[in-house]
Amino acid sequence: MADTFNLQAIRERIDALDTQILALLNERAQCAEQVAHAKLAEDPNATFYRPEREAQILTRMQLLNAGPLRNEQVTHLFREIIASCLALEESMKIAYLGPAGTFTQEATYKHFGMNVGTLPVDSIAQVFREVEAGRVRYGVVPVENSTEGVITHTLDMFVQSTLQVCGEISLRIHQNLMCVHQDWQTVTKVYAHAQSLGQCRYWLDKHLPHAQRIPVSSNAEAARLVAADTDAVAIGSRQAAPIYGLQIVQDSIEDNPNNTTRFLVIGNQVVAPSGNDRTSLLISTRNQPGSLYHLLKPLAENGVDMTRIESRPSRTTNWEYFFFLDVRGHEQDAPIRNALAMLRANAAVVRVLGSYPIAIV
């Protein structure tokens, strides 16, 4: 009887807490509406999505979190709260590399919440075009994977686009083997995006060594093809299986258990400092001895921490290259500002692709 009484008391306490939570959520939503009215009074074209403010809120919640909820769970809950309140201020649509069921869709929902409007498109280039044409507010594109490296098409698009990087998303990638039946060991074809085939190379060598590996435009496209082919399997996200009527026959087949993909949010917005930022740069050096040394020297002299450098052909002159750099800090920080001034004195092209909050996991 005592246990029954205690259980009933706990349930009543949960009901009371739920009532308080609902009241507080609506109070927060009302505050968001007041913010919208205040912004519109100052500027009819005000921007409501503030990546730096969102990052500050999520960081603060993680620091305050005393458990038992994990930080990842707290971040997920507050992202949805922020997204729901933002929807009261502004109706946004986000373009992403589709079709439905891709990891890019998963990253989009992780960052903007499950209720945001989305537009799946066929290519990375089309994501850029949709944002540039103003048909969507932002786009989400993959930029690098911890196993397979950089997505060169995304970097190449920045050479010809004026869009800014407004944010980044870090998504743990679990690759799943799926098909229309359970007898996956007998198939002769494996469909997947080239990056996913690379991320599962050793698993496929061991378990499906004789199957032909066929790269396609996306893992969702792979799932669509396999839905009509009993002699094939697809690799992709868990979300893709029910969309295309497939069964997951082996899960988490990626070779690296820490396999992670980084995505960029692109738009026309310049983002203010959040306190924990990254800056992406595009630089072209003059064709002269020691050009790469002169590119890196201003960073070292100003104590700027470079976290990534990639080179891509300029496509206009043979053997000339663009360099893509990521550095820790914001464009407005004195060390980066000083380094950029020195770079502009020596480099042929220096463009800040964006300063934005480092992804919060």
Side-chain angles (χ1 to χ4, degrees), residues 277-326:
D277 300 296
R278 192 188 315 277
T279 296
S280 293
L281 306 171
L282 185 155
I283 300 174
S284 176
T285 61
R286 297 183 176 90
N287 189 8
Q288 60 187 23
S291 58
L292 183 58
Y293 167 78
H294 291 295
L295 185 155
L296 300 177
K297 183 181 177 183
L299 303 179
E301 289 184 350
N302 287 279
V304 176
D305 179 13
M306 183 180 68
T307 59
R308 183 174 68 101
I309 181 170
E310 302 284 347
S311 64
R312 294 294 298 152
S314 70
R315 300 192 177 211
T316 56
T317 305
N318 285 344
W319 320 123
E320 289 192 357
Y321 293 85
F322 286 105
F323 292 91
F324 292 85
L325 285 72
D326 285 341

Side-chain angles (χ1 to χ4, degrees), residues 176-192 204 208 211-214 216 221-235 245-247 249:
N176 302 280
L177 196 73
M178 57 191 78
C179 58
V180 295
H181 52 75
Q182 288 290 331
D183 193 17
W184 58 272
Q185 295 95 334
T186 64
V187 301
T188 61
K189 292 172 285 187
V190 180
Y191 289 99
L204 292 172
L208 289 170
Q212 180 186 7
R213 301 172 195 181
I214 305 173
V216 292
E221 174 63 11
R224 187 189 70 80
L225 292 169
V226 168
D229 188 347
T230 58
D231 197 31
V233 291
I235 297 173
L246 301 178
Q247 302 179 54
V249 291

